[in-house]
Short mmCIF file of all heavy atoms in Angstrom, two decimals:
data_model
loop_
_atom_site.label_atom_id
_atom_site.label_comp_id
_atom_site.label_asym_id
_atom_site.label_seq_id
_atom_site.Cartn_x
_atom_site.Cartn_y
_atom_site.Cartn_z
N TYR A 8 0.84 -1.19 0.00
CA TYR A 8 0.00 0.00 0.00
C TYR A 8 0.87 1.24 0.00
O TYR A 8 2.03 1.20 0.39
CB TYR A 8 -0.90 0.03 1.24
CG TYR A 8 -1.80 -1.17 1.36
CD1 TYR A 8 -1.48 -2.20 2.24
CD2 TYR A 8 -2.96 -1.27 0.61
CE1 TYR A 8 -2.30 -3.31 2.34
CE2 TYR A 8 -3.77 -2.38 0.71
CZ TYR A 8 -3.45 -3.40 1.58
OH TYR A 8 -4.25 -4.50 1.68
N ASP A 9 0.27 2.34 -0.40
CA ASP A 9 0.93 3.64 -0.29
C ASP A 9 0.72 4.10 1.15
O ASP A 9 -0.27 4.75 1.48
CB ASP A 9 0.31 4.62 -1.29
CG ASP A 9 0.98 5.96 -1.28
OD1 ASP A 9 2.05 6.10 -0.65
OD2 ASP A 9 0.43 6.88 -1.89
N LEU A 10 1.65 3.75 2.02
CA LEU A 10 1.51 3.93 3.46
C LEU A 10 2.24 5.18 3.95
O LEU A 10 3.38 5.43 3.56
CB LEU A 10 2.08 2.71 4.20
CG LEU A 10 2.14 2.80 5.72
CD1 LEU A 10 0.73 2.71 6.31
CD2 LEU A 10 3.01 1.70 6.28
N THR A 11 1.58 5.94 4.80
CA THR A 11 2.21 7.03 5.53
C THR A 11 1.83 6.86 7.00
O THR A 11 0.66 6.68 7.32
CB THR A 11 1.73 8.41 5.03
OG1 THR A 11 2.03 8.52 3.65
CG2 THR A 11 2.42 9.52 5.79
N VAL A 12 2.84 6.92 7.87
CA VAL A 12 2.61 6.81 9.31
C VAL A 12 2.91 8.16 9.93
O VAL A 12 3.98 8.73 9.72
CB VAL A 12 3.48 5.71 9.95
CG1 VAL A 12 3.20 5.61 11.43
CG2 VAL A 12 3.26 4.37 9.26
N VAL A 13 1.95 8.68 10.68
CA VAL A 13 2.12 9.95 11.40
C VAL A 13 2.37 9.61 12.86
O VAL A 13 1.52 9.02 13.52
CB VAL A 13 0.87 10.85 11.25
CG1 VAL A 13 1.04 12.12 12.05
CG2 VAL A 13 0.60 11.14 9.80
N PHE A 14 3.56 9.96 13.33
CA PHE A 14 3.92 9.72 14.73
C PHE A 14 3.70 10.99 15.53
O PHE A 14 4.03 12.09 15.09
CB PHE A 14 5.38 9.30 14.85
CG PHE A 14 5.67 7.95 14.24
CD1 PHE A 14 6.37 7.86 13.06
CD2 PHE A 14 5.24 6.78 14.85
CE1 PHE A 14 6.65 6.63 12.49
CE2 PHE A 14 5.50 5.55 14.30
CZ PHE A 14 6.21 5.47 13.11
N LEU A 15 3.17 10.84 16.73
CA LEU A 15 2.92 12.00 17.58
C LEU A 15 4.19 12.53 18.21
O LEU A 15 4.29 13.71 18.51
CB LEU A 15 1.90 11.64 18.67
CG LEU A 15 0.55 11.17 18.16
CD1 LEU A 15 -0.37 10.84 19.33
CD2 LEU A 15 -0.09 12.20 17.25
N GLN A 16 5.17 11.65 18.44
CA GLN A 16 6.46 12.09 18.98
C GLN A 16 7.55 11.09 18.60
O GLN A 16 7.28 9.95 18.28
CB GLN A 16 6.39 12.28 20.49
CG GLN A 16 5.90 11.10 21.27
CD GLN A 16 5.63 11.47 22.71
OE1 GLN A 16 5.72 12.61 23.12
NE2 GLN A 16 5.31 10.48 23.51
N ARG A 17 8.78 11.57 18.62
CA ARG A 17 9.92 10.74 18.21
C ARG A 17 10.28 9.71 19.28
O ARG A 17 10.63 8.58 18.99
CB ARG A 17 11.12 11.64 17.91
CG ARG A 17 12.28 10.91 17.30
CD ARG A 17 13.35 11.87 16.83
NE ARG A 17 12.90 12.69 15.71
CZ ARG A 17 12.97 12.31 14.43
NH1 ARG A 17 13.42 11.13 14.12
NH2 ARG A 17 12.56 13.12 13.48
N GLU A 18 10.23 10.11 20.52
CA GLU A 18 10.54 9.19 21.63
C GLU A 18 9.72 9.61 22.84
O GLU A 18 9.18 10.71 22.89
CB GLU A 18 12.03 9.18 21.94
CG GLU A 18 12.59 10.53 22.28
CD GLU A 18 14.11 10.50 22.40
OE1 GLU A 18 14.76 9.72 21.71
OE2 GLU A 18 14.61 11.29 23.20
N GLU A 19 9.65 8.73 23.80
CA GLU A 19 8.87 8.99 24.99
C GLU A 19 9.76 8.78 26.21
O GLU A 19 10.56 7.85 26.25
CB GLU A 19 7.67 8.03 25.03
CG GLU A 19 6.69 8.33 26.11
CD GLU A 19 5.47 7.42 25.98
OE1 GLU A 19 5.64 6.20 25.88
OE2 GLU A 19 4.36 7.95 25.99
N LYS A 20 9.62 9.65 27.18
CA LYS A 20 10.41 9.54 28.40
C LYS A 20 10.12 8.19 29.07
O LYS A 20 8.97 7.78 29.18
CB LYS A 20 10.05 10.68 29.35
CG LYS A 20 10.90 10.77 30.56
CD LYS A 20 10.52 11.97 31.40
CE LYS A 20 11.38 12.04 32.62
NZ LYS A 20 11.03 13.19 33.46
N GLY A 21 11.16 7.51 29.47
CA GLY A 21 11.00 6.22 30.11
C GLY A 21 11.15 5.03 29.17
O GLY A 21 11.28 3.91 29.60
N ARG A 22 11.12 5.26 27.85
CA ARG A 22 11.31 4.18 26.88
C ARG A 22 12.81 4.03 26.63
O ARG A 22 13.53 5.01 26.48
CB ARG A 22 10.62 4.48 25.56
CG ARG A 22 9.16 4.70 25.67
CD ARG A 22 8.45 3.39 25.89
NE ARG A 22 7.01 3.63 25.92
CZ ARG A 22 6.14 2.72 26.22
NH1 ARG A 22 6.52 1.51 26.52
NH2 ARG A 22 4.86 3.01 26.23
N LEU A 23 13.27 2.81 26.60
CA LEU A 23 14.71 2.56 26.47
C LEU A 23 15.19 2.47 25.02
O LEU A 23 16.38 2.53 24.78
CB LEU A 23 15.08 1.27 27.22
CG LEU A 23 14.80 1.31 28.72
CD1 LEU A 23 15.13 -0.04 29.34
CD2 LEU A 23 15.56 2.43 29.39
N TRP A 24 14.29 2.29 24.06
CA TRP A 24 14.74 2.13 22.69
C TRP A 24 14.94 3.47 22.00
O TRP A 24 14.31 4.45 22.30
CB TRP A 24 13.78 1.25 21.90
CG TRP A 24 12.38 1.75 21.83
CD1 TRP A 24 11.92 2.86 21.17
CD2 TRP A 24 11.24 1.18 22.45
NE1 TRP A 24 10.57 3.00 21.34
CE2 TRP A 24 10.12 1.98 22.10
CE3 TRP A 24 11.03 0.06 23.23
CZ2 TRP A 24 8.84 1.69 22.54
CZ3 TRP A 24 9.75 -0.21 23.65
CH2 TRP A 24 8.69 0.59 23.31
N LYS A 25 15.87 3.46 21.06
CA LYS A 25 16.15 4.63 20.21
C LYS A 25 16.02 4.17 18.77
O LYS A 25 16.73 3.27 18.33
CB LYS A 25 17.57 5.16 20.44
CG LYS A 25 17.87 5.56 21.87
CD LYS A 25 17.21 6.86 22.22
CE LYS A 25 17.67 7.30 23.59
NZ LYS A 25 16.67 7.98 24.33
N ILE A 26 15.12 4.76 18.03
CA ILE A 26 14.88 4.42 16.64
C ILE A 26 15.56 5.46 15.76
O ILE A 26 15.34 6.65 15.91
CB ILE A 26 13.37 4.37 16.33
CG1 ILE A 26 12.65 3.42 17.26
CG2 ILE A 26 13.13 4.02 14.87
CD1 ILE A 26 13.03 1.98 17.13
N LYS A 27 16.40 5.00 14.84
CA LYS A 27 17.07 5.90 13.90
C LYS A 27 16.18 6.07 12.66
O LYS A 27 15.43 5.19 12.29
CB LYS A 27 18.42 5.32 13.51
CG LYS A 27 19.37 5.20 14.68
CD LYS A 27 20.70 4.64 14.21
CE LYS A 27 21.69 4.60 15.35
NZ LYS A 27 21.51 3.48 16.24
N ASP A 28 16.31 7.23 12.01
CA ASP A 28 15.49 7.51 10.83
C ASP A 28 15.70 6.49 9.72
O ASP A 28 14.76 6.18 8.98
CB ASP A 28 15.77 8.92 10.31
CG ASP A 28 15.14 9.99 11.20
OD1 ASP A 28 14.32 9.64 12.07
OD2 ASP A 28 15.48 11.16 11.02
N LYS A 29 16.90 5.95 9.58
CA LYS A 29 17.15 4.98 8.51
C LYS A 29 16.39 3.67 8.73
O LYS A 29 16.18 2.92 7.80
CB LYS A 29 18.65 4.72 8.35
CG LYS A 29 19.29 4.01 9.52
CD LYS A 29 20.76 3.79 9.28
CE LYS A 29 21.37 3.08 10.47
NZ LYS A 29 22.77 2.81 10.29
N GLU A 30 15.97 3.40 9.96
CA GLU A 30 15.17 2.21 10.25
C GLU A 30 13.71 2.39 9.81
O GLU A 30 12.98 1.43 9.70
CB GLU A 30 15.21 1.88 11.74
CG GLU A 30 16.59 1.52 12.25
CD GLU A 30 16.62 1.27 13.73
OE1 GLU A 30 15.78 0.50 14.22
OE2 GLU A 30 17.47 1.87 14.40
N LEU A 31 13.32 3.63 9.58
CA LEU A 31 11.96 3.93 9.16
C LEU A 31 11.95 4.02 7.63
O LEU A 31 11.88 5.09 7.06
CB LEU A 31 11.48 5.25 9.77
CG LEU A 31 11.52 5.33 11.29
CD1 LEU A 31 11.20 6.73 11.75
CD2 LEU A 31 10.57 4.33 11.91
N ASN A 32 12.02 2.88 6.97
CA ASN A 32 12.11 2.88 5.51
C ASN A 32 10.72 2.81 4.87
O ASN A 32 10.46 2.02 3.99
CB ASN A 32 13.01 1.75 5.03
CG ASN A 32 12.62 0.40 5.59
OD1 ASN A 32 11.68 0.30 6.36
ND2 ASN A 32 13.34 -0.62 5.20
#
């Protein structure tokens, strides 16, 4: 599908993971 995901924020306080932009392909 022609998919677009709208995220409300890049990270959340208390979350341990860090997502890099290159992982969002």
Side-chain angles (χ1 to χ4, degrees):
Y8 302 101
D9 182 11
L10 174 71
T11 302
V12 181
V13 177
F14 293 107
L15 301 180
Q16 54 190 5
R17 188 171 293 275
E18 57 188 31
E19 188 174 51
K20 187 177 179 181
R22 301 285 183 187
L23 299 177
W24 59 69
K25 302 285 187 214
I26 304 295
K27 297 181 176 79
D28 286 348
K29 67 180 180 179
E30 296 177 51
L31 303 173
N32 53 359

